[in-house]
Structures are given as structure tokens and as C-alpha cells.
């Protein structure tokens, strides 16, 4: 039997019962739309995680104070103050191979005042390496240098949120602000970074030389650090950098083989891998639900095809009586089942694409439509039609022509 003739006959038969055909294909439409939306959301979630991690800095290691044992009792994480400027200098000097930049950090909250405007924000004391480690360019002005850090110069960089709150649309570079009681000249404005992966506004910040914050704003004289950021030269050497930094700090802190680290090293690559694994698990779960929907849709097609075979028994008998073979009847009903599945799959593409766009707007993250997945979903819908329609088609092909003609 000619495939085009079979297709025309199949479409004509489906048009005779439009509502029934639509309801049979509806399960396939929902299943294909669910598959497309699930994959798009999963890929979009991965992209969002990658963007958020990149906003924190590429190839970044975070070193935090750890806990120590005191009289048999362990202090909490971060309770010790055992990271110093000397540790940062040693890492920068001795690990120049895998390490590209080092940024010592101390933080405090402070009221920032400009004219009659004020804003409470996070103030970070650091060195020029901070911008390199975080991959954070300036939108205006220039960064402070090592000379300003050595001299505890009264200069600062401000984030976009602080700039908007204090200056609005007016230029900020060259203006004088007060950080608590310390007057500081704004020498640069940071480019916008947006929210971090834990919802913090990264642009709500003021950066100043480490010595300026510690000596002038906080009024302290020690060299203790609250945190240390290390940027590896590439993704490939992050693990090497982590291993060498850990070994160097253990040596500097005089830790023996049996002693635990008194600091913590966080690798953001591990955090990203963990987040991606969680996303993949969720995508797998949603994909399983979508495949169940596809199975339900296939059952719907099978039911419709069985009813169609029963209703058209006399028609099948007439065809066989005038020379149609069993395989022609089998092919005819399989074509109808595949047409139902493919039509549902094509409609599902549109529904899935629209649902993806709507969810992207509602969730506020990117959703990535995959042409490969879309094509695969339609082919899978056609395959579901073949599987669902095979038994009804086989049953139709095995009807006895004489008995079929007698069917009422």
C-alpha cells in the first residue's frame, strides 16, 4: 500500500472523529510539552548556577578560619583568628605557579553618608587583588593600588546599589563620602553583578584598602583576616592550587601530621558540581513524570484505535473482500496511530515552548530550548503511536473478511 495513500486515508479517518482524536492525542501533547519544559528548565537552572558561581569569581578558593581544640573542647568554625596578612603574602609569593591572585578580606557593616543621603551597607577591606580574584571590572573610575593599601589611604570603590542610593544619576567618582566617621574619596564605581546564589545583593558594597578599614574605620592594629580569597590560574589547576595552599598553611600554622586543619578551604567548583547534581536529580524526577504522561497518552491512543477497529469492522471486511491484504490493513491502522502520536508531538512542541517562556518570566532565570530534545520528543511521540497502535492494527489485520462483512 502506498504510504501517501495510507496517510491520506488515516487523516480522513481521524477528521471524522475530531473530538475523539483530539482527546486521544491530548495525553501525548501534555507529555511532549512536559519533556521539553523539564529539559529547558533543567538546562536553564544549570546556566543560572554557572552564572552565579562566575559572578563570585572564576577558579575561586575561599579560605576561612577553622576550629581548634582547647582543653578538649572544639571551638566553632570561624571562632579562631588564625589567618593573617603574612599568610596571604606567603601564598602570593610562594605559589605563583597555580595561584594567579590573592585577596585578604575583613568586613564590617557601616553607615555611609553623602550630603543628606545615607545608606547602611557592607564595607570590605581588601587589596587590589580582590578585583582580579572576583573578576569584577569597574564601570567608572580606577581601582586603588598597593600604595594606597600601604598608606591606609582614604579612598574607596562603591557598588552600583550604593551609588544609586547615595548619588542617583549624578556622577560619584571624585566625590567625598563618610564611612562611619572616616571621610573617603570615591575613586571608582564597580560594574553591576546582581544577586549571589544565596540571594545577597553583591552590588550593595563599599571596597577600600585593607589597612584603611582595619586601622582607620575599625581602629584595630592586628593583622588578623576574616577571610582569604585565592584565584587559581585556570580551572585545570584549581585542585592543585587547593592542595598547595592547604599544605603551605599547615606548614605556616605548625600543624603536625595527626592534627586537623585550623582553617577551611572551600572550592567553588565543588559547590557548583553539587548544585548541578541536585538540578540533574530534579530534572530526572520531572522527566520520569513526563515519561509516565507519555505512557498514559499511548494508552489513550490504544483505546481509540481499538474502538476504531470495532466501528470499522465492516469497512475492513469490504477492503479485504476487494483484495486488501492483512499487512495492508495493519499498515493502515499503524499509520493512523502514528499520525495521532506525531500530531500530538507537534502540538506538544508549541505548548512546551510557550510553557517554557512563561516559566522563564515567572522564575526569573534562563530556560534553554534544545532542538535535539524537541526533535527527540516528537520522534518519541511517533514511537508511542506505533507501540500503542500495533495491537489494534494487528487485530484488524487478522479479521476474517466474511465475519467482518456480517458485523453489525
Amino acid at each position: 500500500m502506498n504510504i501517501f495513500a495510507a496517510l491520506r486515508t488515516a487523516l480522513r479517518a481521524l477528521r471524522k472523529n475530531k473530538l475523539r482524536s483530539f482527546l486521544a492525542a491530548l495525553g501525548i501533547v501534555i507529555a511532549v510539552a512536559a519533556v521539553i519544559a523539564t529539559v529547558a528548565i533543567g538546562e536553564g537552572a544549570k546556566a543560572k548556577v554557572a552564572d552565579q558561581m562566575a559572578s563570585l569569581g572564576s577558579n575561586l578558593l575561599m579560605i576561612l578560619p577553622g576550629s581548634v581544640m582547647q582543653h578538649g573542647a572544639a571551638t566553632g568554625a570561624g571562632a579562631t583568628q588564625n589567618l593573617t596578612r603574612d599568610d596571604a603574602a606567603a601564598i602570593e609569593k610562594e605559589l605563583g605557579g597555580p595561584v594567579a591572585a590573592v585577596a585578604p578580606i575583613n568586613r564590617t557593616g557601616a553607615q555611609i553618608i553623602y550630603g543628606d543621603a545615607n545608606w547602611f551597607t557592607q564595607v570590605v577591606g581588601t587589596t587590589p587583588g580582590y578585583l582580579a580574584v572576583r573578576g569584577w571590572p569597574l564601570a567608572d573610575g580606577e581601582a586603588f593600588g598597593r600604595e594606597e593599601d600601604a598608606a591606609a589611604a582614604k579612598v574607596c570603590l562603591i557598588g552600583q546599589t550604593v551609588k544609586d542610593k547615595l548619588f542617583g544619576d549624578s556622577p560619584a567618582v571624585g566625590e567625598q563620602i563618610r564611612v562611619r566617621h572616616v571621610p573617603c574619596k570615591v575613586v571608582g564605581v564597580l560594574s553591576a553583578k546582581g544577586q549571589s546564589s544565596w540571594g545577597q545583593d553583591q552590588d550593595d558594597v563599599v571596597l577600600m584598602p585593607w589597612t584603611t578599614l582595619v586601622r582607620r574605620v575599625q581602629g584595630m592594629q592586628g593583622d588578623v583576616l576574616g577571610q582569604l580569597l585565592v584565584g587559581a590560574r585556570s580551572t585545570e589547576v584549581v585542585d592543585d592550587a587547593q592542595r598547595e595552599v592547604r599544605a603551605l598553611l599547615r606548614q605556616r600554622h605548625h600543624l603536625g601530621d595527626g592534627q586537623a586543619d585550623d582553617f577551611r578551604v572551600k572550592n567553588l567548583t565543588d559547590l557548583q558540581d553539587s548544585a548541578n547534581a541536585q538540578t540533574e536529580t530534579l530534572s530526572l524526577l520531572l522527566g520520569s513524570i513526563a515519561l509516565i504522561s507519555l505512557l498514559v497518552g499511548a494508552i489513550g491512543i490504544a483505546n481509540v484505535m481499538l474502538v476504531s477497529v470495532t466501528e470499522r469492522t465492516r469497512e475492513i471486511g469490504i477492503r479485504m473482500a476487494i483484495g486488501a491484504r492483512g499487512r495492508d490493513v495493519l499498515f493502515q491502522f499503524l499509520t493512523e496511530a502514528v499520525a495521532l502520536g506525531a500530531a500530538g508531538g507537534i502540538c506538544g512542541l508549541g505548548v512546551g515552548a510557550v510553557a517554557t517562556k512563561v516559566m522563564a518570566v515567572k522564575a526569573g532565570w534562563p530556560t534553554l530550548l534544545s532542538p535535539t530534545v524537541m526533535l527527540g520528543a516528537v520522534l518519541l511521540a511517533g514511537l508511542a503511536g506505533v507501540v500503542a497502535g500495533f495491537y489494534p492494527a494487528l487485530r484488524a489485520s487478522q479479521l476474517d473478511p466474511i465475519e467482518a462483512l456480517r458485523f453489525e
Side-chain angles (χ1 to χ4, degrees):
M1 187 176 185
N2 185 283
I3 186 171
F4 295 107
L7 184 59
R8 284 196 302 271
T9 304
L11 294 177
R12 186 165 58 248
L14 295 176
R15 282 199 299 269
K16 286 182 179 179
N17 296 283
K18 294 178 182 178
L19 181 59
R20 189 168 67 188
S21 299
F22 169 73
L23 293 175
L26 185 59
I28 300 295
V29 172
I30 295 172
V32 171
V35 169
I36 292 171
T38 297
V39 173
I41 291 171
E43 292 301 315
K46 289 181 183 178
K48 186 174 180 67
V49 169
D51 289 343
Q52 289 177 337
M53 291 300 178
S55 73
L56 294 176
S58 58
N59 312 320
L60 181 64
L61 298 175
M62 300 174 62
I63 305 172
L64 305 170
S67 63
V68 295
M69 295 294 293
Q70 294 181 349
H71 307 293
T75 62
T80 60
Q81 296 182 330
N82 50 8
L83 293 177
T84 66
R85 284 292 301 263
D86 288 341
D87 289 331
I91 292 172
E92 190 172 20
K93 179 180 179 181
E94 299 184 28
L95 303 182
V99 172
V102 179
I105 292 176
N106 279 60
R107 305 174 188 270
T108 189
Q111 201 76 26
I112 313 300
I113 301 172
Y114 174 74
D116 58 355
N118 69 91
W119 183 250
F120 187 87
T121 188
Q122 174 184 221
V123 182
V124 176
T126 187
T127 60
Y130 183 84
L131 299 182
V133 170
R134 292 288 311 272
W136 204 339
L138 295 178
D140 193 16
E142 60 183 16
F144 53 80
R146 292 181 181 273
E147 296 80 8
E148 286 82 2
D149 182 46
K154 300 176 183 178
V155 295
C156 65
L157 307 174
I158 62 174
Q160 287 288 340
T161 299
V162 177
K163 193 263 182 189
D164 293 340
K165 295 296 182 181
L166 296 184
F167 298 95
D169 295 330
S170 302
V173 175
E175 298 296 325
Q176 199 90 0
I177 64 174
R178 281 210 329 271
V179 181
R180 288 186 185 168
H181 57 280
V182 179
C184 286
K185 180 182 178 182
V186 178
V187 295
V189 179
L190 299 164
S191 61
K193 275 219 179 239
Q195 287 191 341
S196 66
S197 55
W198 48 85
Q200 180 186 10
D201 182 4
Q202 298 182 83
D203 301 316
D204 193 2
V205 68
V206 172
L207 303 183
M208 60 174 51
W210 185 89
T211 50
T212 306
L213 174 72
V214 174
R215 305 287 186 255
R216 297 185 184 274
V217 177
Q218 294 181 312
M220 299 168 58
Q221 296 301 316
D223 278 343
V224 174
L225 303 180
Q227 187 180 3
L228 184 58
L229 298 184
V230 176
R233 293 195 179 277
S234 67
T235 305
E236 290 74 19
V237 299
V238 169
D239 290 338
D240 292 337
Q242 181 175 355
R243 186 166 49 253
E244 294 189 25
V245 165
R246 179 172 178 268
L248 178 61
L249 289 179
R250 284 186 61 85
Q251 178 185 353
R252 289 185 53 80
H253 294 186
H254 309 292
L255 298 176
D257 293 339
Q259 291 180 280
D261 295 342
D262 60 356
F263 55 88
R264 293 178 294 154
V265 181
K266 289 187 176 181
N267 186 338
L268 291 195
T269 302
D270 293 338
L271 295 179
Q272 182 172 348
D273 290 342
S274 176
N276 285 338
Q278 293 176 359
T279 302
E280 288 175 358
T281 300
L282 181 60
S283 298
L284 181 61
L285 176 62
L286 295 176
S288 301
I289 296 173
L291 290 177
I292 292 173
S293 300
L294 189 63
L295 177 62
V296 172
I299 293 173
I301 291 178
N303 286 334
V304 167
M305 295 308 299
L306 283 171
V307 172
S308 181
V309 169
T310 302
E311 290 180 345
R312 295 159 62 188
T313 299
R314 284 180 61 83
E315 175 190 329
I316 295 169
I318 293 172
R319 289 190 178 191
M320 288 184 167
I322 61 175
R325 294 163 295 181
R327 65 170 177 264
D328 294 328
V329 175
L330 174 69
F331 184 69
Q332 176 62 55
F333 279 90
L334 272 181
T335 303
E336 291 183 22
V338 171
L340 268 177
I346 293 171
C347 292
L349 288 182
V351 174
V354 171
T356 297
K357 296 300 181 183
V358 171
M359 287 186 287
V361 173
K362 295 292 185 182
W365 63 18
T367 49
L368 306 178
L369 290 171
S370 169
T372 302
V373 172
M374 295 173 76
L375 177 61
V378 173
L379 293 177
L380 195 60
L383 179 61
V386 172
V387 174
F390 183 78
Y391 174 72
L394 182 64
R395 182 175 173 180
S397 69
Q398 293 176 344
L399 286 174
D400 182 84
I402 303 300
E403 294 296 328
L405 287 170
R406 291 174 179 170
F407 184 81
E408 294 295 337

